[in-house]
Amino acid sequence: MKTRINELVELLNRYADEYYCLDKPSVSDAEYDRLYRELVELERANPDQVLPHSPTHRVGGKILDGFEKFTHLYPLYSLQDAFSQEELEAFDQRVRKEFPQATYICELKIDGLSISLTYEAGRLVVGATRGDGSVGENITENLKRVKDIPLTLPEPLDITVRGECYMPKTSFERVNLERQEKGEPEFANPRNAAAGTLRQLDTGVVAKRGLSTFLYQEASPTDASSQSQVLAELDRLGFTTNRDYVLAGSMSEVWNFIEKVASKRNELPYEIDGIVIKVNDLAIQEELGFTVKAPRWAVAYKFPAEEKEAEILSVDWTVGRTGVVTPTANLTPVQLAGTTVSRATLHNVDYIAEKDIRIGDTVIVYKAGDIIPAVLRVVEGKRDQQEVMPIPTACPSCDSPLMHYEDEVALRCINPHCPSQIMNRLEHFASRDAMNIAGLGTSIVEKLFKTDLVKDVADIYKLSVDDLLQLEGFKEKSAEKLYQAIQASKENSAEKLLFGLGIRHVGSKASKILLEKFVSL
Ligand code: AMP
Ligand code: ZN
């Protein structure tokens, strides 16, 4: 029995790789189905003999408890950015000063999430996210559901490879349509959708979402002598690599490629946010080495932000946790870098005054850092009779008078009892980088505050399961879960607590430095 299971797993994995990665299947769909069903039957009859790399893991749903941390054996690095031809020239000069003979490889910068795959004896043992580069999350179960990731390699290798996991545009559209129909919030862009999917606890959902990968790096020692050889080797091992790369001997060739890709960017079946230029020769890469943050032998050219015209319909003013009141414009919807945008930040009152932005104006909208939409400026000559934008004088949450300090660009509510501020402070306290209390988000905080159960962070720790059960929408299980998350947060480092308190000018970095020096609160 065991040997037949083994045999079927090996066979099916090989066929799947041929199908998904090499695009040349050697068996018919019917034959594959027959073998697959035989394996499912055998596994059902012998559940203790299901192999960790069985292809049945690719579809079957499993509910996970959470994700464990995974310490990367080889850290993941980030890339230095370039936003102009000049910055690319500067990069080239730094390289050529030491290595005049260097040549480059230009790859598409896929807009997804970095993943790291570790194989032992040719079998996938760990798939992890990048995290902070040295510690990521173990998401093996989810990555097994990404169909183009090989579960087994054609050789019993011990290797760690890196690449990008992304959601193709077609999957993204389908997923968002489904969410729209179910009344669920849509994903802002394919990258968020991919990130949300990989952090799913229900692996069945991952299998259905249609993620794909492009691998581009061997992190463990390699026999290859150039990046182009690395890509060929990854390809040979059954990984999906991106074929749209070029070798370039000079920066003008690099620039030609960038311009060519920029013009056909919208036709690609996936999102890219730039071009990565790497020194092709691995020996030169090694000589050039790394700065604290990034390799000296590579640079990411980022495409300029896309801009569109839209009309400002109205403006919402909201109060943040520090009392700062921020304006957000409601716009006529526009397509921007692959998503529909109908709201954009106006930053602050001084920005509005300086750019003389008015309701009813046609404005230029762009995505800052390609994520948050913002209003850039008014389009000249399209203004009718618009009046100067009314600026609130009272807090939209508590109605107390707003202050506009001379040395600040923002309006501020200075009422310490302002409900909006308190709720935002509570939310900040519970957020991921602070006390990380899963489940204590905007809507729950609002309910706790409005029912008078929680008025400050200390109250959070007085909550009982019974208190939570009073809240609308809470059941035994969800109340217990949140209660446990609150208790677990007591084990956090003092650094997270200090940051969570949200003292002005004490961010996560300052908290860390303070506690390194003073040890306890
Ligand atoms: P950034 O996140 O903007 O610092 O850019 C660095 C990230 O680009 C890396 O962590 C990778 O996840 C991603 N990336 C996408 N495509 C590539 C590629 N072809 N080569 C290297 N990194 C890439
Ligand atoms: Zn207020």
Side-chain angles (χ1 to χ4, degrees):
M1 198 61 64
K2 208 167 183 170
T3 52
R4 181 61 183 160
I5 288 184
N6 251 318
E7 195 174 58
L8 285 169
V9 166
E10 299 301 331
L11 262 180
L12 287 163
N13 278 337
R14 205 182 79 220
Y15 293 154
D17 286 349
E18 286 171 358
Y19 184 80
Y20 288 113
C21 310
L22 308 173
D23 230 11
K24 42 175 188 241
S26 63
V27 287
S28 67
D29 286 358
E31 171 70 356
Y32 183 88
D33 270 359
R34 195 180 61 73
L35 295 173
Y36 191 87
R37 261 183 271 122
E38 184 186 343
L39 178 63
V40 170
E41 284 306 315
L42 286 175
E43 288 184 344
R44 195 174 293 149
N46 308 278
D48 54 320
Q49 286 176 28
V50 177
L51 295 170
H53 57 294
S54 165
T56 57
H57 288 303
R58 288 208 188 271
V59 285
K62 241 192 228 178
I63 306 295
L64 310 174
D65 296 332
F67 302 108
E68 292 188 344
K69 298 255 175 291
F70 177 75
T71 305
H72 296 294
L73 187 55
Y74 309 95
L76 284 82
Y77 43 80
S78 100
L79 294 170
Q80 47 175 319
D81 286 332
F83 295 94
S84 65
Q85 205 168 355
E86 290 71 48
E87 284 174 336
L88 285 179
E89 297 288 354
F91 163 78
D92 182 44
Q93 273 159 26
R94 287 195 297 275
V95 170
R96 291 212 186 277
K97 209 168 75 191
E98 287 179 66
F99 299 95
Q101 77 283 23
T103 60
Y104 299 108
I105 179 167
C106 307
E107 298 171 12
L108 304 188
K109 187 166 186 299
I110 313 298
D111 203 5
L113 266 88
S114 322
I115 52 163
S116 177
L117 304 173
T118 304
Y119 291 79
E120 281 173 12
R123 286 187 182 156
L124 177 65
V125 288
V126 181
T129 62
R130 165 204 173 99
D132 64 5
S134 34
V135 181
E137 275 180 316
N138 185 326
I139 53 164
T140 313
E141 283 304 318
N142 280 344
L143 286 175
K144 278 185 187 167
R145 270 82 182 170
V146 176
K147 297 219 171 55
D148 65 6
I149 295 181
L151 300 180
T152 54
L153 302 178
E155 291 161 33
L157 298 173
D158 291 338
I159 56 168
T160 297
V161 298
R162 301 278 160 76
E164 204 79 356
C165 184
Y166 67 95
M167 187 177 280
K169 288 176 185 170
T170 47
S171 308
F172 174 71
E173 279 158 22
R174 177 176 50 82
V175 168
N176 261 354
L177 207 65
E178 283 166 15
R179 291 173 78 83
Q180 207 177 49
E181 279 162 10
K182 286 196 217 140
E184 291 170 355
E186 289 170 51
F187 288 116
N189 54 49
R191 189 196 24 235
N192 287 358
T197 303
L198 286 180
R199 301 203 78 259
Q200 271 286 329
L201 293 176
D202 180 350
T203 62
V205 174
V206 186
K208 277 188 255 154
R209 289 263 174 93
L211 297 176
S212 301
T213 60
F214 284 122
L215 278 294
Y216 51 70
Q217 191 202 348
E218 281 183 73
S220 43
T222 168
D223 294 334
S225 63
S226 68
Q227 170 63 9
S228 43
Q229 275 181 20
V230 168
L231 293 177
E233 174 67 2
L234 290 172
D235 198 43
R236 191 183 70 78
L237 292 175
F239 296 102
T240 310
T241 58
N242 192 294
R243 308 285 165 99
D244 272 336
Y245 67 85
V246 293
L247 297 174
S250 69
M251 271 297 132
S252 67
E253 284 170 42
V254 168
W255 193 251
N256 280 344
F257 181 67
I258 289 176
E259 288 193 319
K260 200 178 108 205
V261 174
S263 69
K264 61 159 200 188
R265 183 180 170 192
N266 289 332
E267 292 155 33
L268 290 171
Y270 43 81
E271 296 265 345
I272 59 172
D273 61 340
I275 302 289
V276 185
I277 298 115
K278 304 172 182 174
V279 170
N280 194 33
D281 189 317
L282 298 191
I284 300 183
Q285 283 192 6
E286 191 159 331
E287 290 281 333
L288 285 165
F290 291 76
T291 65
V292 207
K293 260 191 62 203
R296 285 201 175 84
W297 43 262
V299 65
Y301 173 80
K302 297 270 178 87
F303 292 127
E306 228 186 293
E307 296 180 354
K308 281 279 170 65
E309 285 187 14
E311 189 188 326
I312 299 186
L313 302 171
S314 61
V315 174
D316 294 334
W317 298 83
T318 49
V319 196
R321 71 182 161 89
T322 58
V324 170
V325 179
T326 23
T328 306
N330 294 306
L331 307 163
T332 49
V334 280
Q335 279 297 115
L336 202 59
T339 63
T340 307
V341 170
S342 53
R343 283 168 68 78
T345 180
L346 288 162
H347 303 291
N348 53 60
V349 272
D350 283 11
Y351 189 83
I352 294 174
E354 183 197 318
K355 305 237 159 166
D356 187 25
I357 299 168
R358 305 181 186 189
I359 293 170
D361 271 345
T362 300
V363 292
I364 301 286
V365 194
Y366 74 108
K367 278 198 185 169
D370 259 61
I371 307 178
I372 306 161
V375 172
L376 185 62
R377 61 181 165 81
V378 175
V379 180
E380 302 285 336
K382 288 208 175 174
R383 180 174 287 169
D384 292 331
Q385 303 283 314
Q386 283 86 316
E387 288 167 22
V388 173
M389 175 129 29
I391 301 299
T393 51
C395 172
S397 174
C398 69
D399 217 29
S400 38
L402 294 177
M403 311 301 256
H404 188 184
Y405 294 112
E406 237 173 66
D407 58 344
E408 288 192 344
V409 292
L411 279 178
R412 210 178 261 283
C413 166
I414 56 162
N415 171 12
H417 305 293
C418 174
S420 218
Q421 285 184 53
I422 296 176
M423 286 187 276
N424 281 305
R425 277 205 296 272
L426 290 167
E427 206 180 318
H428 167 75
F429 183 78
S431 66
R432 231 165 84 115
D433 292 334
M435 294 299 271
N436 193 16
I437 305 176
L440 200 54
T442 317
S443 73
I444 310 284
V445 163
E446 192 175 332
K447 285 180 196 163
L448 287 168
F449 181 79
K450 293 200 164 144
T451 50
D452 281 338
L453 280 166
V454 174
K455 289 288 178 194
D456 60 32
V457 296
D459 290 342
I460 294 175
Y461 294 94
K462 294 179 192 148
L463 288 171
S464 65
V465 173
D466 284 337
D467 290 333
L468 293 172
L469 280 171
Q470 290 175 31
L471 298 182
E472 183 199 315
F474 268 93
K475 300 234 169 55
E476 200 63 55
K477 214 171 143 191
S478 44
E480 180 64 31
K481 211 168 154 195
L482 178 52
Y483 177 79
Q484 290 305 344
I486 293 170
Q487 304 316 309
S489 73
K490 293 179 186 170
E491 305 298 320
N492 285 342
S493 60
E495 175 189 321
K496 293 203 150 199
L497 176 59
L498 181 58
F499 172 58
L501 294 177
I503 300 166
R504 260 175 96 185
H505 307 303
V506 186
S508 57
K509 196 163 165 213
S511 303
K512 194 172 173 159
I513 295 170
L514 283 168
L515 278 153
E516 264 164 19
K517 167 102 177 107
F518 299 107
V519 185
S520 73
L521 283 187

